[in-house]
Amino acid sequence: MSEFEIKKSATEYDAVIVGSGAGGGMAGYVLANAGLKVLMLEAGEYFDPRTDSQQLKWPWESPRRGAGTTRHFGDFDAAYGGWELDGEPYTQKDNSEFSWFRSRMLGGKTNHWGRISLRMGPDDFKPKDGLTDEWPITYQELKPFYDKIDRMIGIYGTVEGIESEPDGIFMKPPKPRLNELFIKKGAKKAGVNVIAGRGSVLTEELKGNKDRAPCFYCGQCGRSCKVYGDFSASSCLVIPAINTGNLKVITNAMVREVITDKTGKAIGLSYVNTKDLQEYQVNGKIVILGASACESARLLLNSKSPAHPNGLANNSGVVGKYLHDSTGASLGGYLPQLVDRKRYNEDGVGSVHIYSPWWLDNKKLDFPRGYHIEYGGGMGMPGYGFGWGIENLNGKGGYGASLKNDYRHWYGTSVGMAGRGTAIARESNYCEIDPNVVDKFGIPVLRFNYKWAPEEVKQAKHMQETFQEIMHGMGAVITSGIPGPETNYGLEAPGKIIHEVGTVRMGDDPKKSALNRWCQAHDCKNLFVVDAGPFVQQGDKNATWTILALSMRTAEYILQQKEKLNLS
Amino acid sequence: MNRRESLKVLGLTAVSTGIVLEACKPGKETETVAKIDEKAKPGRQQFETERDRQLNSYKFFSEHEMATIAVLADIIIPKDDKSGSATDAKVPDFIEFIVKDMPYHQIPMRGGLKWLDMQSLSRFGKSFKEVSSDQQIAIVEDIAYPGKVKPGMQPGVNFFSLMRNLTASGFYTTEIGIKDVGYMGNQPNIWEGVPADVLKHYGMEDV
């Protein structure tokens, strides 16, 4: 017998799912609760916020005081991974600089995300400016699923009646912090509307759910929540689905390929165990990809066969194309009025307390679409970086007793804001398989080609002008520097906002899209994609709530099609 | 899950946060870490635990350098009537760790310390830690203000700024420093908005 052997499982599951984040987690949750036998493969480690969260740790419990040496967002952050993974490279074409964030763990990036949970609006699905392709579905078609998710997972916010920012079914929002009241005042002067944040954090009891407790206001959602007070796919979807007895999860399973038969039908997956490097094959009547927009595109492009010579679900050639991430730029400073402010606990929730939905009419602007603004600041827990650059606050630097007093004076005066905007989905921005490079598992890697266009740069310029007006309006001092044209107005490199979508887009025309309106592959009817790959065009809304709604809709469609898909 | 049950999940009861604080004091932490290091810690990746152990297995700074760092740290953050000094908060140990964790600090720190000794030698005939405190302050006065730099002193100013930044980060992330600056969170509570007296103070009642 050869030493090199692929271990083939005899079991045939109803569905095999790749990935355990928002998309894969939701599909697994719906199907397992409906009684289907489901197998989920996760490339990273098992993670249960209940036991693994770093919540309520003090900075001195980290030798680097919470710095981001091995985790970009800090030692306590709940992301195993980052923009660079050891042994899992990606490459760039021409002068592209796309950054690809990966969380290798149960629940994926939902363990550490900002919990900002926005619905896309009617015009995001059917744009009136004709600049980008329409989605095959309308807001009204997705609305019932957004509603169900609001009720099932829980979200806070306020009913505002803004058409482009559809209301949900909300719990009470957290009240603004002091710095946020200053922001509100300043923004009003600048003509910018500020409303309560919308976040998937339980500010009230979630009726009928015994596993999750309401928020206790530590402001540490980024570490994931031990009492499941916020939404993570691990705590709210995958672990409950495991508890039905119908979902089996295999962790440390890096999927290599979707296996198809001679007719081109998907029959299962091959994967490598990342710990012992053994090769495995598993079988399913249907295959569901929720590996993340770029990872699912990579998997499809790597799944070539005689029936699918261009890669799976890729007769159209669109897989990998139309990659787009939100635009992002930011500005920071401090409020001199708050020097020597009274101390109290204002941790609040770990998502946003307030934000500004897009408020302008594009007819008067030199760029399309828009952006929303997220705000922060206040008396946060000190961590590595605390006190850095005191000379920018006290105007001198110094040492000794007076310096020590200065750290006290300025504590809690910080204020910052960040724009998150619509980037146009372009065919010319894409990921593809690099023909020359494989990762440590021998899997061909992605090569990115992504460049910002004038539309996005002009949007960033507008963000900076707005931020300065708001800072001015509240009497704040800008300390972060004001980025100009030499840095594209502080526009972050694509991928840095971690909202990448669009690589396996849906549509009614099989020549122009990989998936139909149910996120089912045009070229392979028992293959579905449930992450952010199916997005045709992202609005200025963070992607997660739409991923969840789409995935739930696809999972319910699969249940309706049980007979056609030959499921038990 | 109700509040009492969720506190149980956190390993807390409403009155036991003080105990958590106690358990997390730097002195006690080292013992616990040494024991738990043998196996994986919850929520830490194996490579992270191994990396920390490796960084703790050797020293970067010499004894002379560590002693100089301690003198500087206490010049930057001295003891006053509110809290202890940088060395009370073990800031030099933090700096020793952080330059191993972030190697890009190594040359600026080592070179800066050497620059400082050479400066001290040429002005007062001894290394920085050996000269009198008045002489130390005379040198510090020349490197503590990035806005007004005398010719030739820029390397010293750069070094002192880094030293000040690391000292502040090291100090305010300890129990002493957090108490000093007055951060009151990191514990289960209810957030009901800005206290009424604060709202009134800033005239924010109607915002």
Side-chain angles (χ1 to χ4, degrees):
Chain A
M1 205 170 90
S2 163
E3 265 178 46
F4 194 78
E5 184 192 24
I6 297 171
K7 296 187 176 175
K8 293 184 183 179
S9 161
T11 315
E12 188 185 46
Y13 291 88
D14 289 321
V16 286
I17 300 176
V18 185
S20 63
M26 178 57 82
Y29 180 90
V30 173
L31 298 180
N33 275 288
L36 265 57
K37 294 295 171 200
V38 186
L39 177 70
M40 181 181 281
L41 302 181
E42 163 55 49
E45 293 176 34
Y46 190 79
F47 185 87
D48 181 351
R50 185 89 85 215
T51 48
D52 297 325
S53 167
Q54 306 295 300
Q55 196 175 28
L56 295 185
K57 284 203 173 169
W58 292 96
W60 60 82
E61 294 178 75
S62 152
R64 59 191 59 75
R65 309 294 164 85
T69 313
T70 62
R71 305 183 186 194
H72 179 83
F73 297 99
D75 225 11
F76 302 122
D77 184 73
Y80 292 173
W83 280 289
E84 306 295 333
L85 296 182
D86 187 35
E88 298 187 55
Y90 51 92
T91 61
Q92 311 280 350
K93 205 170 178 179
D94 302 328
N95 296 317
S96 166
E97 46 163 350
F98 187 83
S99 297
W100 186 21
F101 195 99
R102 290 156 287 173
S103 273
R104 293 276 193 249
M105 62 200 303
L106 195 80
K109 299 187 285 276
T110 66
N111 292 302
H112 88 131
W113 71 304
R115 271 76 179 182
I116 300 171
S117 306
L118 306 176
R119 297 182 179 203
M120 297 224 301
D123 289 1
D124 293 325
F125 292 96
K126 301 285 180 186
K128 291 196 187 106
D129 60 11
L131 187 65
T132 58
D133 291 332
E134 293 187 344
W135 286 63
I137 57 172
T138 62
Y139 172 70
Q140 283 306 322
E141 284 174 270
L142 202 55
K143 182 181 181 295
F145 299 94
Y146 281 127
D147 288 349
K148 273 197 228 181
I149 284 159
D150 287 358
R151 287 196 193 94
M152 173 185 149
I153 293 173
I155 175 174
Y156 65 76
T158 46
V159 173
E160 300 284 340
I162 303 166
E163 199 200 346
S164 56
E165 205 81 7
D167 294 318
I169 299 150
F170 293 133
M171 297 180 173
K172 61 168 193 205
K175 292 201 175 127
R177 301 179 185 93
L178 181 59
N179 304 39
E180 291 158 344
L181 293 175
F182 278 90
I183 291 166
K184 237 176 138 174
K185 237 175 143 177
K188 203 173 173 189
K189 279 190 203 160
V192 179
N193 186 27
V194 175
I195 63 173
R198 294 176 175 182
S200 45
V201 178
L202 301 181
T203 54
E204 298 170 21
E205 200 177 319
L206 187 63
K207 288 190 185 79
N209 189 313
K210 288 196 175 124
D211 299 321
R212 300 182 59 199
C215 177
F216 58 82
Y217 302 101
C218 72
Q220 297 170 16
C221 294
R223 303 184 185 190
S224 77
C225 187
K226 284 177 180 282
V227 306
Y228 299 173
D230 58 13
F231 169 75
S232 294
S234 51
S235 57
C236 301
L237 299 174
V238 181
I239 292 169
I242 292 170
N243 294 338
T244 65
N246 294 323
L247 173 71
K248 183 182 172 188
V249 177
I250 301 176
T251 51
N252 303 309
M254 180 70 192
V255 177
R256 191 178 285 288
E257 222 177 294
V258 179
I259 304 164
T260 50
D261 66 13
K262 276 182 193 151
T263 68
K265 199 177 131 201
I267 54 170
L269 298 163
S270 70
Y271 71 89
V272 55
N273 177 312
T274 61
K275 296 285 175 193
D276 64 14
L277 302 183
Q278 277 286 340
E279 298 291 328
Y280 295 85
Q281 271 184 27
V282 291
N283 317 308
K285 289 175 183 167
I286 60 171
V287 171
I288 299 173
L289 305 186
S292 82
C294 295
E295 203 69 84
S296 288
R298 178 187 181 198
L299 189 45
L300 291 170
L301 293 170
N302 274 331
S303 301
K304 280 186 186 171
S305 64
H308 301 285
N310 204 25
L312 186 55
N314 196 28
N315 286 350
S316 63
V318 303
V319 172
K321 292 176 181 168
Y322 298 98
L323 168 64
H324 57 297
D325 180 27
S326 300
T327 59
S330 59
L331 195 69
Y334 73 95
L335 285 157
Q337 307 93 310
L338 292 190
V339 164
D340 282 330
R341 59 183 295 201
K342 186 182 171 182
R343 310 298 204 247
Y344 51 89
N345 180 354
E346 61 169 10
D347 283 345
V349 303
S351 187
V352 286
H353 284 203
I354 55 165
Y355 85 111
S356 292
W358 177 237
W359 68 100
L360 289 173
D361 179 356
N362 290 92
K363 282 181 199 122
K364 296 165 192 154
L365 299 169
D366 63 353
F367 61 89
R369 312 291 168 94
Y371 57 90
H372 74 258
I373 311 174
E374 304 169 4
Y375 303 99
M379 297 185 285
M381 179 158 32
Y384 180 81
F386 184 95
W388 220 264
I390 186 77
E391 62 274 16
N392 298 321
L393 296 177
N394 70 2
K396 55 178 194 197
Y399 64 93
S402 73
L403 175 72
K404 205 174 173 186
N405 270 326
D406 285 345
Y407 290 120
R408 294 168 187 147
H409 288 318
W410 270 278
Y411 174 63
T413 63
S414 70
V415 69
M417 53 199 70
R420 297 286 180 260
T422 303
I424 301 300
R426 292 185 173 83
E427 196 177 2
S428 57
N429 285 336
Y430 58 85
C431 56
E432 62 184 356
I433 299 300
D434 187 325
N436 303 312
V437 182
V438 295
D439 66 11
K440 66 178 170 185
F441 308 115
I443 305 173
V445 307
L446 282 180
R447 178 166 70 185
F448 290 91
N449 188 323
Y450 196 128
K451 287 190 188 79
W452 289 128
E455 283 88 341
E456 284 91 29
V457 177
K458 284 178 191 167
Q459 195 189 66
K461 180 170 185 275
H462 193 271
M463 286 184 194
Q464 294 296 351
E465 288 161 1
T466 307
F467 298 162
Q468 286 170 61
E469 269 189 68
I470 296 173
M471 294 289 268
H472 185 74
M474 64 173 127
V477 178
I478 296 167
T479 53
S480 62
I482 298 166
E486 70 289 348
T487 62
N488 280 341
Y489 304 94
L491 179 61
E492 300 274 4
K496 283 290 183 190
I497 308 304
I498 325 182
H499 293 169
E500 66 275 11
V501 305
T503 47
V504 197
R505 70 175 193 165
M506 63 199 291
D508 289 332
D509 183 351
K511 289 197 193 75
K512 291 180 175 169
S513 56
L515 309 170
N516 68 16
R517 56 174 51 229
W518 303 105
C519 298
Q520 178 180 32
H522 287 299
D523 312 336
C524 181
K525 292 297 178 198
N526 67 336
L527 176 80
F528 298 82
V529 181
V530 294
D531 48 37
F535 282 43
V536 178
Q537 170 66 56
Q538 188 171 207
D540 68 66
K541 325 293 177 9
N542 312 30
T544 304
W545 226 236
T546 302
I547 295 172
L548 290 168
L550 282 176
S551 177
M552 179 188 263
R553 179 173 172 273
T554 292
E556 290 192 7
Y557 173 77
I558 289 168
L559 294 174
Q560 285 160 19
Q561 300 285 307
K562 254 164 93 171
E563 277 174 29
K564 262 195 195 162
L565 293 166
N566 199 24
L567 303 175
S568 53
Chain B
M1 198 191 279
N2 63 30
R3 192 171 163 80
R4 184 177 301 173
E5 285 166 340
S6 71
L7 289 174
K8 214 183 276 173
V9 167
L10 296 168
L12 303 173
T13 62
V15 291
S16 76
T17 36
I19 297 168
V20 175
L21 276 172
E22 186 67 24
C24 297
K25 275 186 182 165
K28 297 208 171 176
E29 194 207 4
T30 356
E31 287 171 33
T32 338
V33 168
K35 258 181 248 162
I36 298 175
D37 257 352
E38 300 308 312
K39 38 184 192 266
K41 291 188 212 172
R44 301 301 296 171
Q45 299 162 91
Q46 206 184 335
F47 89 88
E48 293 176 307
T49 313
E50 277 167 15
R51 189 175 176 280
D52 285 356
R53 184 186 299 141
Q54 197 267 329
L55 295 182
N56 282 321
S57 71
Y58 70 97
K59 294 231 179 294
F60 176 76
F61 289 118
S62 69
E63 268 178 42
H64 174 79
E65 287 169 325
M66 280 301 279
T68 310
I69 287 170
V71 170
L72 281 167
D74 279 354
I75 288 173
I76 291 167
I77 298 189
K79 182 177 180 336
D80 65 3
D81 51 13
K82 193 166 181 187
S83 68
S85 69
T87 52
D88 290 338
K90 297 194 164 64
V91 166
D93 293 347
F94 161 73
I95 293 176
E96 161 69 23
F97 178 85
I98 210 75
V99 301
K100 290 182 286 192
D101 192 49
M102 304 175 182
Y104 56 88
H105 288 320
Q106 288 176 4
I107 291 173
M109 279 300 291
R110 174 153 284 160
L113 288 163
K114 195 74 181 163
W115 182 96
L116 189 69
D117 273 346
M118 293 313 289
Q119 182 70 207
S120 180
L121 196 68
S122 73
R123 280 166 73 168
F124 306 113
K126 283 185 215 164
S127 74
F128 182 79
K129 85 174 178 64
E130 291 166 319
V131 298
S132 74
S133 42
D134 285 352
Q135 290 168 328
Q136 287 171 345
I137 293 301
I139 296 173
V140 165
E141 273 292 321
D142 285 343
I143 56 177
Y145 304 99
K148 20 178 198 176
V149 184
K150 288 183 187 163
M153 297 303 272
Q154 191 63 53
V157 171
N158 293 349
F159 162 68
F160 193 80
S161 292
L162 174 61
M163 185 63 208
R164 180 171 50 224
N165 289 340
L166 289 173
T167 302
S169 270
F171 181 78
Y172 291 103
T173 52
T174 61
E175 203 178 354
I176 296 175
I178 280 183
K179 224 177 192 175
D180 178 314
V181 88
Y183 169 70
M184 294 172 72
N186 198 32
Q187 54 185 308
N189 75 110
I190 304 285
W191 168 248
E192 283 170 330
V194 182
D197 60 323
V198 176
L199 280 180
K200 203 174 159 207
H201 179 79
Y202 293 101
M204 287 286 176
E205 296 101 319
D206 302 322
V207 180

